[in-house]
Amino acid sequence: MRRRWLPIAVLLACSVFTLMVARSSFSDAPAQRVGSEACKECHDKQYQQFGASAHGRAEKDAGRIAGDAGCESCHGPGSLHVQADGDENSPGFKTIKRYSKLSAEEANATCVGCHKGGDQFYWQHSAHARKNVSCVSCHNIHNSQDAGHTKLLSKPTTTAVCITCHKANHFALGKSAHMPVTEGDMTCSDCHSPHGSAGPKQIRALTTNELCLSCHADKRGPFLWEHSPVRENCLNCHEAHGSNNDKVLAAKRPYLCQRCHIATRHPATMYDLPDLTNSSGNRSLNRSCTNCHPQLHGSNHPSGKYFTR
Ligand code: HEC
Ligand code: HEC
Ligand code: HEC
Ligand code: HEC
Ligand code: HEC
Ligand code: HEC
Ligand code: HEC
Ligand code: HEC
Ligand code: HEC
Ligand code: HEC
């Protein structure tokens, strides 16, 4: 009769033994902070890079980051990883935060913990955050490529970072008329915040017109005679990135104007073209409608009602 208890007793003894072994080799106490010095011995490369980076400098210079933030501010407490002594199979080894193993959301949470002001204030609601783009898709903490490592970018320039993913916009900027981005006079981030903004499409203004007018102030007005599509949206006639029509126009003249003005008293159509003595033919030549309506962005001339002066 007694033998019926034997298997259970053996099982019990085994599990107690396993538990004891587990406790001795892998303490269930959480990892503790050990300070960056403890990482130096094995990760000297990252240690040196860190010291020279914006993060290392912020820590050293007058304590911009309180206490010893160091490596563990991003990689989490390191005591168990250090105790593992380089043995990748030891369970403590993997307690260090490895960015290659984190979801975008987890990785971003670490960065946003400190970077919640400035542009990053808008991060949570940006298209980038919603589509699982992560801070480290564009920033490279240890081996950044930008001059001076000031912005910790993964590519030498801002525009180069953007066009790794946004091929269509890169293509548009290659068209014959375009914003001077490819020339390097301006970058994607002059118009967009990579981190999100209060405006649409992550632009650095509340509306498209406010954005354009921040540089093209002569088009701001108010004018005595306003052209309503200009007030409404510059993109009624222009492309934001580039087009094969001059002045980055969305369509060729006269078609550009005729998308709206189909019933003027002087329509110009392709059919007028061969007969240049016909007074309406001149409307499709050269700058077409703007030959006679040059002030189409708005006029301050008392008789500028038709934007002719
Ligand atoms: C006794 C040596 C040793 C110490 C001390 C040590 N590490 Fe490691 N660590 C390693 C080894 C070995 C690897 C695996 C090989 C590699 O990636 O360099 C590793 C890997 C890592 C990785 C993961 C790399 C990846 O993505 O796979 C991170 C992050 C890391 N260590 C951070 C730290 C930090 C932070 C500290 C200080 C708190 C630290 N290590 C201290 C030996 C050490
Ligand atoms: C500001 C956050 C941050 C700090 C601080 C930081 N790291 Fe990292 N570390 C990362 C990220 C993110 C990665 C993933 C690769 C990348 O983006 O550069 C990484 C990758 C690593 C790796 C894997 C190998 C590699 O280069 O990809 C090691 C090892 C490492 N870090 C060690 C350290 C050590 C040691 C320190 C302190 C001297 C430190 N890290 C400080 C964010 C940080
Ligand atoms: C412990 C707080 C802390 C954490 C965590 C942190 N940062 Fe920082 N970061 C700072 C401070 C402080 C600076 C220095 C700001 C300055 O010089 O104006 C800085 C600088 C930077 C800069 C350069 C800014 C500049 O103006 O030159 C970038 C880019 C950056 N961090 C990205 C990241 C990313 C990406 C992560 C996550 C992987 C991260 N940071 C995690 C505190 C932190
Ligand atoms: C889509 C790419 C991209 C993503 C994603 C991104 N950044 Fe940036 N970040 C940039 C670029 C590009 C700059 C430099 C802007 C410029 O040209 O002035 C920058 C600049 C910064 C700066 C310097 C100060 C500033 O605001 O200009 C900090 C700090 C920073 N980023 C932190 C972060 C953090 C934290 C995250 C994640 C929440 C993040 N970034 C996500 C591309 C990105
Ligand atoms: C890692 C890939 C990646 C990089 C690098 C990247 N983006 Fe994006 N971006 C995305 C994705 C994904 C979306 C979401 C697209 C969608 O919703 O169809 C997006 C959306 C956008 C949008 C549209 C926002 C909206 O509200 O619809 C803008 C503007 C933008 N990115 C600008 C930038 C700029 C500027 C840079 C460079 C600083 C950049 N991106 C770098 C992946 C990237
Ligand atoms: C002169 C300002 C300006 C510059 C420079 C600029 N953009 Fe834009 N971008 C805009 C405006 C304005 C919109 C909004 C268009 C709309 O409302 O439909 C936009 C829209 C976008 C969108 C959203 C959907 C689309 O493709 O139309 C993406 C993505 C984008 N831009 C990426 C970029 C990238 C990447 C760069 C740099 C290579 C860049 N932009 C340079 C002004 C600019
Ligand atoms: C950050 C400043 C800046 C912003 C914002 C900006 N532009 Fe420009 N724009 C420029 C510069 C610089 C040029 C080149 C001027 C030159 O070559 O004389 C230019 C050129 C142009 C041209 C003339 C191109 C040509 O071939 O002559 C048009 C049209 C234009 N921008 C429209 C816009 C529109 C529409 C917006 C808003 C979506 C806008 N810009 C936003 C700086 C800006
Ligand atoms: C109704 C169509 C239309 C709208 C809307 C419009 N534009 Fe234009 N824009 C044109 C045309 C057509 C030209 C070419 C004029 C020429 O050849 O004289 C032009 C030329 C320009 C130029 C280059 C030449 C110059 O006059 O400096 C700039 C810059 C410009 N527009 C900016 C803007 C801005 C900023 C807005 C929004 C506030 C805007 N445009 C709205 C039609 C428009
Ligand atoms: C997106 C539509 C749209 C486009 C494109 C457009 N316009 Fe207009 N335009 C209007 C509207 C709306 C009015 C105001 C009509 C009114 O007050 O009766 C107007 C008014 C005018 C007037 C003054 C007419 C009046 O009776 O006061 C002239 C002249 C004019 N536009 C010329 C042009 C020229 C030239 C172009 C091409 C460069 C152009 N428009 C492109 C919508 C447009
Ligand atoms: C040869 C010069 C000239 C050309 C070219 C020209 N216009 Fe005009 N347009 C005028 C003059 C002058 C007026 C004012 C008429 C008046 O005072 O009654 C006018 C008036 C207008 C008006 C307001 C009156 C109306 O008929 O509704 C619109 C809209 C207009 N033009 C659009 C256009 C468009 C669109 C084009 C190109 C297809 C164009 N114009 C080409 C000279 C021209």
Side-chain angles (χ1 to χ4, degrees), residues 227-229 236-237 256-257 260-261 289-290 293 296 305-307:
H227 194 188
S228 48
N236 278 329
C237 297
L256 176 77
C257 312
C260 299
H261 295 290
C289 315
T290 42
H293 300 286
L296 70 122
K305 183 172 193 293
Y306 297 117
F307 315 128

Side-chain angles (χ1 to χ4, degrees), residues 54-55 57-59 64-66 69-70 73-74 99 107-115 120 134-136 139-141 149-153 195:
H55 287 118
R57 290 197 302 264
E59 194 178 320
R64 296 276 304 280
I65 305 179
S73 61
C74 290
Y99 282 81
N108 293 341
T110 312
C111 315
V112 175
C114 291
H115 294 284
Q120 287 76 33
S134 98
C135 310
V136 292
H139 292 287
N140 196 321
I141 300 299
H149 308 287
T150 51
K151 305 286 183 198
L152 306 177
L153 299 182
H195 309 110

Side-chain angles (χ1 to χ4, degrees), residues 73-76 94-111 132-137:
S73 61
C74 290
H75 291 292
K94 294 200 167 63
T95 58
I96 204 80
K97 229 189 246 177
R98 290 176 298 167
Y99 282 81
S100 51
K101 300 272 188 290
L102 297 180
S103 71
E105 206 179 333
E106 289 167 321
N108 293 341
T110 312
C111 315
N132 292 330
V133 176
S134 98
C135 310
V136 292
S137 307

Side-chain angles (χ1 to χ4, degrees), residues 127-128 130-131 133 137-138 158 161-162 164-166 188 192 194 201-202:
H128 282 151
R130 287 198 310 267
K131 292 288 158 105
V133 176
S137 307
C138 303
T158 292
V161 171
C162 310
T164 54
C165 295
H166 293 291
C188 309
H192 296 284
K201 306 289 177 196
Q202 301 187 184

